[in-house]
Amino acid sequence: MINLSISQANEGLKTKKFSSVELTQAYLDRIKATDEKLNSYITVTNEIALQQAKKADSNGVFENPLAGIPMSLKDIICTAGIKTTASSKMLENFVPPYNAHVYDRLLGAGSVLLGKVNCDQFAMGSSTEHSYFGVTKNPWDLERVSGGSSGGSSASVAADLCAFSIGTDTGGSIRQPASLCSCVGLKVSYGRVPREGVISYASSFDTVGTFAKTVEDAALVLNVIAGKSERDATTPDVKVPDYTQFLKEDLNGVKIGIPKEYYGEGVDKETIDVINKGVETLKGLGAEIIDVSLPLTKYAIPAYYLLVKSEGSTNMARYDGIKYSHTTDQAKDLEEIYMKSRKEGFGDEVKRTIMLGTYCLSAGYYDAFYLKAAKVRALMKKEYEEVFAQVDALITPTSPFPAFKIGDKIDDPLAMYAADILTVPAGICGLPGLSVPAGFSASGLPIGMQILANQYKEENLFAVGNAFEKATEWHTKKPNI
Ligand code: GLN
């Protein structure tokens, strides 16, 4: 039963084929048996999971499709009474006093928490190698990364260690790991899902979304977590439709743009071939394919990294060794508490964020770096708006290449940043994106197709994604672990 989609599991629960306790226990057994190989979970919440499952069973009706369904949460989502580490030494023993709003919404629907999953420290990275708790391995090849920053989420979904997972995507952290592990990964529009209680990286970019086994499942999860929150002023009052009504099986009348800049230098030929084949499938389903151009894409990486590192450096300022974080035992005075706690508590990528961000924001450099990048951001948004006046969705590869080997890029931060080239534009522009399984490399590594849409047009992603999924079998392939 661990390989069931949410809607299938819901059917099983409703018809009493199995109980939520049985389903939950099956996942807990699977985690126990296989996660030693993957390292996707930081904390497994055995007892809480079984209690929540019992509660779902005693309610008995399973009217909400997520009732009694076991999930994992990226370990930057605050859970009251349950350690939330941001995969860092800084927050190694941090137990939040409250739940993130997104977790409260999921609890309200009756979901079951299996545990907290690994990620790059404070969600900074593209491989989960920046976790204080060690890398999460790719279930398709244990020598390779599961992607990042939400690599624990993608590995746990792909290897059936949960039914779905909640992650965050600032510049690719849901879509890229979903692509590398062969699952469905949904980045929402900025503000579509509340961020309250989710540990911040770059506050004007961060979004909370989901990993799932099918496009329909991603829509079911979004139905529960989307919408204005009185606890997060950045969630606008945009109506939340029932996203499942957009799960189309044909694409008649749908216009799909192919932005040539996403198929250029640095993108593996094998990956492009897979996506081109995917585009043919969409065409066969009735979509009209239109070539489009987004010339500012070439500035996406520098603009993105200047902006997120600036915002990130200010978000990291709160970890001063005193309030709720790691405190050094080597300090003689207050200044040393700050300096040594931060030195000991943060990993290399977080330190790079602080250095780069502080530099960009400093007097004299602000205009040259931060402000310039902010202007590029405004221009890029305009460019995407113009393209989305012509098309309903864009199709691109999600990642320029399949999963890379553990250790390959860890000493070369620029190469790691470049891996995000196809996912950062949606982060910059606050757009939603969906990565769906689209094929495999010759060596058997998953390749994902990215669908992008205009802001708050998540329904377009579901329409295109579902039609593609129904016409292909890639999402049914499972790693042998
Ligand atoms: N790798 C990108 C970064 O470090 C994206 C991370 C993310 O989306 N959280 O900024």
Side-chain angles (χ1 to χ4, degrees):
M1 58 188 126
I2 52 171
N3 56 0
L4 298 177
S5 68
I6 294 174
S7 54
Q8 290 167 333
N10 178 246
E11 193 54 38
L13 289 168
K14 269 185 174 157
T15 54
K16 309 252 176 278
K17 262 201 208 120
F18 47 79
S19 67
S20 173
V21 167
E22 284 164 338
L23 183 62
T24 302
Q25 191 59 56
Y27 279 114
L28 291 170
D29 292 346
R30 169 85 172 156
I31 293 169
K32 202 164 173 205
T34 46
D35 203 40
E36 223 166 275
K37 287 187 224 161
L38 296 173
N39 192 35
S40 65
Y41 280 82
I42 292 176
T43 304
V44 180
T45 48
N46 274 284
E47 278 169 30
I48 292 170
L50 290 169
Q51 266 168 23
Q52 292 175 343
K54 226 185 219 163
K55 195 170 152 207
D57 283 335
S58 66
N59 285 344
V61 282
F62 303 103
E63 204 173 312
N64 192 305
L66 299 195
I69 303 291
M71 63 175 175
S72 70
L73 296 181
K74 184 176 183 176
D75 208 17
I76 63 169
I77 296 167
C78 285
T79 41
I82 302 164
K83 253 195 321 194
T84 300
T85 67
S87 292
S88 68
K89 181 176 167 75
M90 189 56 100
L91 297 181
E92 189 178 1
N93 297 308
F94 173 58
V95 179
Y98 64 90
N99 288 335
H101 197 180
V102 63
Y103 180 46
D104 273 341
R105 282 186 174 167
L106 290 159
L107 288 180
S111 304
V112 171
L113 178 67
L114 293 168
K116 306 296 291 289
V117 283
N118 202 12
C119 56
D120 285 294
Q121 210 168 112
F122 290 97
M124 298 171 189
S126 314
S127 67
T128 317
E129 288 167 291
H130 293 303
S131 167
Y132 176 63
F133 302 99
V135 65
T136 295
K137 295 177 183 141
N138 191 308
W140 295 88
D141 178 348
L142 298 176
E143 290 183 3
R144 290 174 188 268
V145 301
S146 55
S149 64
S150 317
S153 290
S154 60
S156 65
V157 170
D160 291 329
L161 306 190
C162 59
F164 71 97
S165 184
I166 301 294
T168 60
D169 190 314
T170 303
S173 282
I174 290 178
R175 290 159 290 153
Q176 184 256 25
S179 170
L180 271 43
C181 290
S182 198
C183 47
V184 173
L186 170 70
K187 176 205 182 289
V188 299
S189 308
Y190 182 73
R192 183 73 294 193
V193 174
R195 291 176 295 121
E196 183 257 6
V198 178
I199 295 172
S200 299
Y201 170 9
S203 310
S204 78
F205 290 73
D206 296 344
T207 59
V208 182
T210 191
F211 292 83
K213 296 173 192 184
T214 65
V215 174
E216 179 189 17
D217 282 5
L220 291 171
V221 176
L222 189 59
N223 276 351
V224 168
I225 62 175
K228 185 176 168 55
S229 158
E230 67 287 356
R231 289 155 58 175
D232 178 351
T234 60
T235 54
D237 202 359
V238 175
K239 204 173 152 270
V240 180
D242 172 2
Y243 289 106
T244 57
Q245 54 176 331
F246 301 100
L247 300 166
K248 304 219 303 179
E249 304 217 351
D250 71 69
L251 295 173
N252 294 328
V254 175
K255 291 184 180 150
I256 287 180
I258 308 295
K260 64 169 183 274
E261 291 78 6
Y262 280 74
Y263 294 76
E265 207 188 318
V267 186
D268 271 10
K269 184 173 175 312
E270 219 177 10
T271 295
I272 292 181
D273 289 347
V274 162
I275 303 307
N276 283 341
K277 244 196 190 152
V279 171
E280 284 307 308
T281 303
L282 299 174
K283 205 171 164 181
L285 290 163
E288 182 186 344
I289 309 295
I290 301 168
D291 287 328
V292 296
S293 176
L294 292 155
L296 292 174
T297 305
K298 61 174 176 290
Y299 301 120
I301 289 278
Y304 171 83
Y305 275 98
L306 288 174
L307 292 168
V308 297
K309 297 304 183 191
S310 297
E311 291 187 20
S313 70
T314 65
N315 274 324
M316 294 301 108
R318 73 192 60 157
Y319 305 105
D320 56 5
I322 294 173
K323 286 200 280 291
Y324 35 53
S325 46
H326 165 78
T327 309
T328 184
D329 52 16
Q330 306 290 319
K332 291 196 293 292
D333 54 27
L334 182 63
E335 197 170 316
E336 270 198 22
I337 292 184
Y338 295 151
M339 289 179 29
K340 291 195 172 160
S341 300
R342 285 164 71 83
K343 181 178 173 186
E344 294 164 13
F346 286 140
D348 287 352
E349 184 57 22
V350 178
K351 287 176 182 161
R352 267 195 289 274
T353 301
I354 295 169
M355 286 193 290
L356 193 64
T358 310
Y359 184 80
C360 289
L361 293 174
S362 58
Y365 293 110
Y366 177 86
D367 287 350
F369 295 117
Y370 183 83
L371 197 62
K372 208 171 205 178
K375 285 179 182 166
V376 172
R377 185 181 203 183
L379 291 171
M380 281 185 72
K381 280 187 182 169
K382 216 170 134 239
E383 198 169 88
Y384 276 83
E385 255 165 42
E386 280 163 18
V387 161
F388 283 121
Q390 299 165 48
V391 299
D392 302 301
L394 297 171
I395 296 293
T396 80
T398 306
S399 165
F401 29 71
F404 45 90
K405 283 240 166 88
I406 293 167
D408 253 13
K409 296 187 194 294
I410 191 77
D411 296 322
D412 186 351
L414 289 182
M416 191 77 93
Y417 296 169
D420 299 333
I421 175 70
L422 308 176
T423 48
V424 295
I428 294 173
C429 301
L431 304 174
L434 186 74
S435 183
V436 294
F440 288 84
S441 71
S443 53
L445 296 169
I447 293 174
M449 178 171 91
Q450 176 172 241
I451 311 163
L452 297 172
N454 208 355
Q455 206 169 29
Y456 303 117
K457 283 287 185 194
E458 277 79 0
E459 53 265 38
N460 291 7
L461 307 178
F462 294 129
V464 177
N466 190 69
F468 182 75
E469 186 181 275
K470 289 283 172 315
T472 55
E473 293 202 325
W474 305 116
H475 67 288
T476 63
K477 308 266 186 260
K478 291 280 179 181
N480 188 6
I481 177 141

